[in-house]
Amino acid sequence: NAFALPGGPVVITRGLLLQIDNESQLAGILSHELGHINARHHVKFLEKQLALSMLLQIGSLLVPQDLTGEILLQLGQVSASLLTLKFSRDQEREADKYGFLYAFEAGYSPHGMIEVFEKFKKMEKKRPPEWLSTHPLPESRIKETKEYIATFKPTGILIKDTQKFQEIRNLILQTKESYEYVENGKKAYKNGKRGEAKNLFEKALELYPKNTVASIYLAKLEMEEGNLNKAKEYSEYSLNYDPNFFTANIISGIINFKLKNFENALKFFEKGKSLIPFNGISYYYAGRTYEEKKNFNLALKNYEKALELGPKNESWYKDCYYRYNKLRGF
């Protein structure tokens, strides 16, 4: 799948990258998503949904004992509301038209979009009925794109593929087994099989040392077992490869909080705010840290922002509400 985030970034999943063959196909997919953004198809939907859900749910790590266990850490799992975001067929057609124009103007062969639609046609039997109800039939999209091409009559040298794209695709193929171990490890973790999960994450890291999802899960496991220094090593290892990994920053902040390294903890929580500013969890943890430092004014400000952003259905939200009102004297 592919989807857009507030502010313009477009995300494409590893699974979809493995389905495409060249860079012009990738350009067509990304341009289609940009078409949704510029046509403002999803603005209202996202404004509502992103206030109610978290991209990564890790809220049970610092809350009181009676609240822990309500939410399991789900690393790398993109918000389901974004992945299942449905547009009307007319909106999909409009995004196709914009996508064709953007890809063409960027110098890519417009035939890449046709190739993607042909792949969708082959996958039709595997897709659920609701997908077919919200997307134009691939045959229609192929026909309409060919009409666009006939209208614009593209000439000159257009990009079909690049060596860089193939290098990235090959890397994804080479690391596929490592990420499969991660998925199995996440299932084992969810089912309470901690030893099995740990072995699977270690195997994933052995196969691909830059697998930051595996290393941050190992950090969480070590932290939950009270091995804070070992947990710190894994979280720092993860951030070494990906400093902008949101969950790694939050986990690192929590570990430092537990080690009473409050200044370091705040650096990670502040980084979390900058990475996902519409998520209240970073503000909640920053508030906890300021409260420990006896800086109650900043604690209140962060708690207030966390409560404003939510989401209200997360376990940390209840604790945040309690602490906010306690500091205010209620």
Coordinates of all heavy atoms in Angstrom, one line a residue, residues 1-5 8-34 37 76-78 82-83 112 116 119-120 127 165 168-169 172 179:
N1 N 0.8 -1.2 0.0 CA 0.0 0.0 0.0 C 0.9 1.2 0.0 O 2.1 1.2 0.3 CB -0.9 0.0 1.2 CG -2.2 0.7 1.0 OD1 -2.3 1.6 0.2 ND2 -3.3 0.2 1.6
A2 N 0.3 2.4 -0.3 CA 0.9 3.7 -0.2 C -0.1 4.7 0.3 O -1.3 4.5 0.1 CB 1.4 4.1 -1.6
F3 N 0.4 5.7 1.1 CA -0.5 6.7 1.6 C 0.3 7.9 1.9 O 1.5 7.9 1.9 CB -1.2 6.2 2.9 CG -0.2 5.7 4.0 CD1 0.2 6.6 4.9 CD2 0.3 4.4 4.0 CE1 1.2 6.2 5.9 CE2 1.2 4.0 5.0 CZ 1.6 4.9 5.9
A4 N -0.4 9.0 2.1 CA 0.2 10.3 2.4 C 0.0 10.7 3.8 O -1.0 10.4 4.4 CB -0.4 11.4 1.4
L5 N 0.9 11.5 4.4 CA 0.9 12.0 5.7 C 0.7 13.5 5.7 O 1.0 14.1 4.7 CB 2.2 11.6 6.5 CG 2.4 10.2 6.8 CD1 3.8 10.0 7.4 CD2 1.3 9.6 7.7
G8 N 2.6 16.5 3.5 CA 3.1 16.1 2.2 C 3.9 14.8 2.0 O 3.9 14.3 0.9
P9 N 4.5 14.3 3.1 CA 5.3 13.1 2.9 C 4.4 11.9 2.4 O 3.2 11.8 2.9 CB 5.8 12.8 4.3 CG 5.8 14.1 5.0 CD 4.6 14.8 4.5
V10 N 4.9 11.1 1.5 CA 4.2 10.0 1.0 C 4.9 8.7 1.4 O 6.2 8.7 1.2 CB 4.0 10.0 -0.6 CG1 3.4 8.7 -1.1 CG2 3.2 11.2 -1.0
V11 N 4.2 7.8 1.9 CA 4.9 6.5 2.4 C 4.4 5.4 1.5 O 3.3 5.3 1.2 CB 4.4 6.2 3.9 CG1 5.0 4.9 4.4 CG2 4.8 7.4 4.8
I12 N 5.4 4.5 1.2 CA 5.1 3.3 0.4 C 5.6 2.1 1.2 O 6.7 2.2 1.7 CB 5.7 3.4 -1.0 CG1 5.3 2.2 -1.8 CG2 7.2 3.6 -1.0 CD1 5.6 2.3 -3.3
T13 N 4.8 1.1 1.3 CA 5.2 -0.1 2.1 C 6.2 -0.9 1.4 O 6.3 -0.9 0.1 CB 4.0 -0.9 2.5 OG1 3.4 -1.4 1.3 CG2 3.0 -0.1 3.3
R14 N 7.0 -1.7 2.1 CA 7.9 -2.7 1.5 C 7.2 -3.7 0.6 O 7.7 -4.0 -0.4 CB 8.6 -3.5 2.7 CG 9.6 -2.6 3.5 CD 10.1 -3.5 4.7 NE 10.7 -4.7 4.3 CZ 12.0 -4.8 4.0 NH1 12.8 -3.7 4.1 NH2 12.5 -5.9 3.6
G15 N 6.0 -4.1 1.0 CA 5.3 -5.1 0.2 C 5.0 -4.6 -1.2 O 5.1 -5.3 -2.2
L16 N 4.5 -3.3 -1.3 CA 4.2 -2.7 -2.6 C 5.5 -2.5 -3.4 O 5.5 -2.7 -4.6 CB 3.5 -1.4 -2.4 CG 3.0 -0.7 -3.7 CD1 2.2 -1.7 -4.6 CD2 2.2 0.5 -3.4
L17 N 6.6 -2.1 -2.7 CA 7.8 -2.0 -3.5 C 8.3 -3.3 -4.1 O 8.9 -3.2 -5.2 CB 8.9 -1.4 -2.5 CG 9.0 0.1 -2.3 CD1 10.0 0.4 -1.2 CD2 9.3 0.8 -3.6
L18 N 8.0 -4.4 -3.5 CA 8.4 -5.7 -4.0 C 7.5 -6.1 -5.2 O 7.9 -7.0 -6.0 CB 8.3 -6.7 -3.0 CG 9.4 -6.6 -1.9 CD1 9.2 -7.7 -0.8 CD2 10.8 -6.8 -2.5
Q19 N 6.4 -5.4 -5.4 CA 5.4 -5.7 -6.5 C 5.8 -5.0 -7.7 O 5.3 -5.4 -8.8 CB 4.0 -5.4 -6.0 CG 3.5 -6.3 -4.9 CD 3.3 -7.7 -5.3 OE1 3.0 -8.1 -6.4 NE2 3.7 -8.6 -4.3
I20 N 6.5 -3.9 -7.6 CA 6.8 -3.1 -8.8 C 8.2 -3.4 -9.4 O 9.0 -3.9 -8.7 CB 6.6 -1.6 -8.5 CG1 7.6 -1.1 -7.4 CG2 5.2 -1.3 -8.2 CD1 7.5 0.3 -7.1
D21 N 8.4 -3.1 -10.7 CA 9.6 -3.5 -11.3 C 10.5 -2.4 -11.7 O 11.7 -2.7 -11.9 CB 9.2 -4.2 -12.6 CG 8.2 -5.4 -12.4 OD1 8.4 -6.2 -11.5 OD2 7.2 -5.4 -13.1
N22 N 10.1 -1.2 -11.8 CA 11.0 -0.1 -12.2 C 10.5 1.2 -11.6 O 9.5 1.3 -11.0 CB 11.0 0.0 -13.8 CG 9.6 0.2 -14.4 OD1 8.9 1.2 -14.1 ND2 9.1 -0.7 -15.2
E23 N 11.4 2.2 -11.8 CA 11.2 3.5 -11.1 C 10.0 4.3 -11.7 O 9.3 5.1 -11.0 CB 12.4 4.4 -11.2 CG 12.4 5.6 -10.3 CD 13.7 6.2 -10.1 OE1 14.7 5.5 -9.9 OE2 13.8 7.5 -10.0
S24 N 9.7 4.1 -13.0 CA 8.5 4.8 -13.5 C 7.2 4.3 -12.9 O 6.3 5.1 -12.7 CB 8.4 4.6 -15.1 OG 8.2 3.3 -15.4
Q25 N 7.2 3.1 -12.5 CA 6.0 2.6 -11.8 C 5.9 3.2 -10.4 O 4.8 3.6 -10.0 CB 6.1 1.0 -11.7 CG 6.0 0.3 -13.0 CD 6.2 -1.2 -12.9 OE1 6.2 -1.7 -11.8 NE2 6.3 -1.9 -14.0
L26 N 7.0 3.3 -9.7 CA 7.1 4.0 -8.4 C 6.6 5.4 -8.6 O 5.9 5.9 -7.7 CB 8.5 3.9 -7.8 CG 8.7 4.7 -6.5 CD1 7.9 4.1 -5.4 CD2 10.2 4.6 -6.1
A27 N 7.1 6.1 -9.6 CA 6.8 7.5 -9.8 C 5.3 7.6 -10.0 O 4.6 8.6 -9.5 CB 7.5 8.1 -11.0
G28 N 4.7 6.7 -10.7 CA 3.2 6.7 -10.9 C 2.4 6.6 -9.6 O 1.5 7.3 -9.4
I29 N 2.9 5.7 -8.8 CA 2.2 5.5 -7.5 C 2.3 6.7 -6.6 O 1.3 7.2 -6.0 CB 2.8 4.2 -6.8 CG1 2.5 3.0 -7.6 CG2 2.3 4.1 -5.4 CD1 3.2 1.7 -7.1
L30 N 3.6 7.2 -6.5 CA 3.8 8.4 -5.6 C 3.0 9.6 -6.1 O 2.5 10.4 -5.4 CB 5.3 8.7 -5.5 CG 6.1 7.6 -4.8 CD1 7.6 8.0 -4.7 CD2 5.6 7.2 -3.4
S31 N 3.0 9.8 -7.5 CA 2.3 10.9 -8.1 C 0.8 10.8 -7.8 O 0.2 11.8 -7.6 CB 2.7 11.0 -9.6 OG 4.0 11.2 -9.8
H32 N 0.3 9.6 -7.9 CA -1.1 9.4 -7.6 C -1.5 9.9 -6.2 O -2.5 10.5 -6.0 CB -1.5 7.9 -7.8 CG -2.8 7.5 -7.3 ND1 -3.9 7.6 -8.2 CD2 -3.3 7.2 -6.1 CE1 -5.0 7.2 -7.5 NE2 -4.7 6.9 -6.3
E33 N -0.6 9.5 -5.2 CA -0.8 9.9 -3.8 C -0.7 11.4 -3.7 O -1.5 12.1 -2.9 CB 0.1 9.2 -2.9 CG 0.0 7.7 -2.8 CD -1.4 7.3 -2.4 OE1 -2.0 8.0 -1.5 OE2 -1.9 6.3 -2.8
L34 N 0.2 12.0 -4.4 CA 0.3 13.5 -4.4 C -0.9 14.1 -5.0 O -1.3 15.2 -4.6 CB 1.6 13.9 -5.2 CG 2.9 13.7 -4.5 CD1 4.1 14.0 -5.4 CD2 3.0 14.5 -3.2
I37 N -3.4 14.5 -2.3 CA -3.0 15.6 -1.4 C -3.4 16.9 -2.0 O -4.1 17.7 -1.4 CB -1.5 15.6 -1.1 CG1 -1.1 14.3 -0.3 CG2 -1.1 16.8 -0.4 CD1 0.4 14.2 -0.1
G76 N 6.4 -0.2 13.8 CA 6.4 -0.3 12.3 C 5.0 -0.4 11.8 O 4.8 -0.5 10.5
Q77 N 4.0 -0.5 12.6 CA 2.6 -0.6 12.1 C 2.0 0.7 11.9 O 1.8 1.5 12.8 CB 1.8 -1.4 13.1 CG 0.4 -1.6 12.7 CD -0.4 -2.4 13.6 OE1 0.0 -2.7 14.7 NE2 -1.7 -2.7 13.3
V78 N 1.7 1.0 10.6 CA 1.1 2.3 10.3 C -0.3 2.3 10.7 O -1.0 1.3 10.7 CB 1.3 2.6 8.8 CG1 0.7 3.9 8.4 CG2 2.7 2.4 8.4
L82 N -5.1 5.1 8.1 CA -4.5 5.6 6.9 C -4.4 4.5 5.8 O -4.6 4.8 4.6 CB -3.0 6.0 7.2 CG -3.0 7.3 8.1 CD1 -1.5 7.6 8.5 CD2 -3.5 8.5 7.3
L83 N -4.1 3.3 6.2 CA -4.0 2.2 5.3 C -5.3 1.8 4.6 O -5.4 1.3 3.5 CB -3.4 0.9 6.0 CG -1.9 1.0 6.3 CD1 -1.5 -0.2 7.1 CD2 -1.1 1.0 5.0
G112 N 4.5 3.8 -17.0 CA 4.7 3.2 -15.7 C 3.4 3.1 -15.0 O 3.1 2.0 -14.3
V116 N 1.4 -0.4 -13.7 CA 0.8 -0.6 -12.3 C -0.6 -1.1 -12.4 O -1.0 -2.0 -11.7 CB 1.0 0.7 -11.5 CG1 0.2 0.6 -10.1 CG2 2.4 1.0 -11.2
K119 N -0.9 -4.6 -13.2 CA -0.6 -5.4 -12.1 C -1.8 -5.5 -11.2 O -2.1 -6.6 -10.7 CB 0.6 -4.9 -11.3 CG 2.0 -5.1 -11.9 CD 3.1 -4.5 -11.1 CE 4.4 -4.7 -11.7 NZ 4.8 -6.1 -11.7
F120 N -2.5 -4.4 -11.0 CA -3.7 -4.4 -10.2 C -4.8 -5.3 -10.8 O -5.5 -6.0 -10.1 CB -4.3 -3.0 -10.1 CG -3.6 -2.1 -9.2 CD1 -3.8 -0.7 -9.2 CD2 -2.6 -2.6 -8.3 CE1 -3.1 0.1 -8.4 CE2 -1.9 -1.7 -7.5 CZ -2.1 -0.4 -7.5
R127 N -8.1 -9.2 -4.2 CA -8.5 -8.0 -3.5 C -9.9 -8.1 -3.0 O -10.8 -8.7 -3.6 CB -8.4 -6.7 -4.4 CG -7.0 -6.3 -4.7 CD -7.0 -4.9 -5.3 NE -5.6 -4.5 -5.5 CZ -4.9 -3.9 -4.6 NH1 -5.4 -3.6 -3.4 NH2 -3.6 -3.5 -4.9
F165 N 17.2 2.8 -8.2 CA 15.9 2.1 -7.8 C 16.2 0.6 -7.7 O 15.7 0.0 -6.7 CB 14.8 2.4 -8.9 CG 13.6 1.5 -8.6 CD1 12.6 2.0 -7.7 CD2 13.4 0.3 -9.3 CE1 11.5 1.2 -7.4 CE2 12.2 -0.4 -9.0 CZ 11.3 0.0 -8.1
I168 N 17.9 -0.3 -4.5 CA 17.0 -0.2 -3.3 C 16.1 -1.4 -3.3 O 15.9 -2.1 -2.3 CB 16.2 1.1 -3.4 CG1 17.1 2.3 -3.1 CG2 15.1 1.0 -2.3 CD1 16.4 3.6 -3.3
R169 N 15.6 -1.8 -4.5 CA 14.7 -2.9 -4.6 C 15.5 -4.2 -4.2 O 14.9 -5.1 -3.5 CB 14.1 -3.1 -6.0 CG 13.0 -4.1 -6.1 CD 12.3 -4.0 -7.5 NE 11.2 -4.9 -7.5 CZ 11.3 -6.2 -7.7 NH1 12.5 -6.8 -7.9 NH2 10.2 -7.0 -7.8
I172 N 15.8 -4.5 -0.5 CA 14.5 -4.9 0.1 C 14.4 -6.4 0.0 O 14.0 -7.1 0.9 CB 13.3 -4.2 -0.5 CG1 13.4 -2.7 -0.1 CG2 12.0 -4.8 0.0 CD1 12.4 -1.9 -0.8
Y179 N 13.0 -9.2 7.9 CA 11.8 -8.6 8.3 C 10.6 -9.6 8.6 O 9.7 -9.4 9.3 CB 11.3 -7.5 7.3 CG 12.1 -6.3 7.5 CD1 13.3 -6.0 6.8 CD2 11.7 -5.3 8.5 CE1 14.0 -4.9 7.0 CE2 12.5 -4.2 8.7 CZ 13.6 -4.0 7.9 OH 14.4 -2.8 8.1

